[in-house]
Amino acid sequence: MTAPPLTWLYAPGDRPHVVTKALGCGADVVVIDLEDAVAPDRKEYARSATVEFLSQPQPVPVHVRVNAVDGPFAVADLTAVAALPGVSGLRLPKVTSPGQIVRIAEGTAPAEGGAPPLHALLESALAVEHAHAIASAHPALRGIALGEADLRADLGVRGDTGLDWSRSRVVVAARAAGLPPPSQSVHPDIRDLDALAVSCAHGRALGFLGRAAIHPRQLPVIERAYLPSEEEIEKAETIVKAATSEPGAQALPDGRFVDAAVVAAAQRTLSLAARRS
C-alpha cells in the first residue's frame, strides 16, 4: 500500500525563487498559489511565471491553486496551466456546486486524455452543505478539503471548535464518495508550533490525514503529528500478522477484536509507518 501524502506546502506564484526553495523543503506536494498569496495587480505575472516554471516536469508533485472558480481570473488560469508538464494537480478555490467541478473537468480535458487531477476547496456554508455532491461530481476529482479562513468568516465562528461540525461533514463526504481522507486547512500562525501540533492532533482525531502548510518550519510538526507512534505500529503489526495466519474475524489474546475493517485500518497505519525516520 503506497503511503499517502501528508504535507502540502504553499508558495506564491509571483515569487518563483520561493517556489524553487519550496521544492527542496521536503513537502510531499508543493502548491503554487495564484489566489490568496498574490495581489490583484500581480495575477498576470504570477500566471506567466508559473507557466514558465512548470513547462518542465518537477522533482516533486506540484499542484496549482488557481483563482476562485467563478471569479474573473479562473478561466485564464485554467487555460494556461492545466496541461503543463510540471502540473500534477489543480486546486480549485471557492467551489460551491458539483456543476463547477463537471464544467472544469470537461473544460480542461485534452482530446487525447482525461482532465488533470482536481482538488476542491470548500470555503462557505453552501459548499459544506453540498460536500458529498461535490465530492462525487466527476472522476477527475481526487480530493476535497476545507478553506477554513473563508469558512470561519462566512459562518461568523469565533472559537476553533465552532468549525468541528463542518470538518466532520467534509471527512464523511470524502469517504462516502470514495476519496482519500481530506487534509487539514493551513494553520495561520507560523511561529506557534506547539499550537500547530495540538491542532494537528485534533484534526487527526476527526479523521483528517495530513495538512497544508504556509512555511517550511511547519512541515516536520505536521508529519510527526500524522505519523503513527511506535505503540500504534506495534498494534498494527500484531493485527496484520494475526489476520495473515488466521483469516476471518477473531479475538486477540489481549481481548482486541479483529475483523476486515480493523485489518484495513492496521494496513493504513503500516503504510504510513514506513515514513518514520
Side-chain angles (χ1 to χ4, degrees), residues 25-250:
C25 286
D28 296 323
V29 180
V30 170
V31 183
I32 298 180
D33 190 11
L34 303 182
E35 192 207 15
D36 288 345
V38 179
D41 63 350
R42 300 272 290 175
K43 297 290 187 184
E44 290 189 11
Y45 170 71
R47 185 187 307 124
S48 63
T50 299
V51 169
E52 181 178 357
F53 196 95
L54 298 179
S55 62
Q56 300 294 329
Q58 298 299 314
V60 299
V62 176
H63 290 188
V64 177
R65 180 165 75 171
V66 299
N67 282 281
V69 293
D70 281 339
F73 302 106
V75 172
D77 289 346
L78 291 165
T79 301
V81 307
L84 293 174
V87 173
S88 299
L90 299 175
R91 299 181 80 80
L92 310 175
K94 312 295 192 293
V95 172
T96 58
S97 73
Q100 293 168 321
I101 301 299
V102 174
R103 171 171 54 83
I104 292 171
E106 293 177 350
T108 56
E112 67 277 7
L118 305 177
H119 299 261
L121 300 176
L122 313 185
E123 306 183 59
S124 66
L126 181 61
V128 173
E129 283 297 296
H130 291 167
H132 181 257
I134 292 169
S136 55
H138 194 278
L141 189 75
R142 306 297 173 79
I144 60 173
L146 286 177
E148 292 191 355
D150 285 80
L151 180 61
R152 189 186 302 273
D154 190 34
L155 296 176
V157 170
R158 301 184 68 181
D160 187 68
T161 56
L163 292 176
D164 279 357
W165 184 88
S166 297
R167 291 165 175 160
S168 294
R169 176 73 176 267
V170 169
V171 169
V172 172
R175 302 306 294 140
L179 298 176
S183 59
Q184 277 186 277
S185 184
V186 299
H187 186 73
D189 190 335
I190 65 173
R191 296 164 296 180
D192 194 344
L193 299 182
D194 290 337
L196 172 61
V198 171
S199 177
C200 287
H202 181 61
R204 188 182 180 199
L206 289 174
F208 288 91
L209 183 63
R211 188 165 201 162
I214 53 175
H215 194 282
R217 68 166 61 103
Q218 296 178 316
L219 298 176
V221 178
I222 295 168
E223 185 159 301
R224 283 195 301 271
Y226 275 98
L227 286 176
S229 66
E230 294 289 351
E231 181 180 0
E232 289 172 324
I233 294 171
E234 183 179 350
K235 288 181 177 180
E237 289 174 337
T238 300
I239 289 169
V240 171
K241 182 178 179 180
T244 301
S245 61
E246 187 177 337
Q250 59 181 295

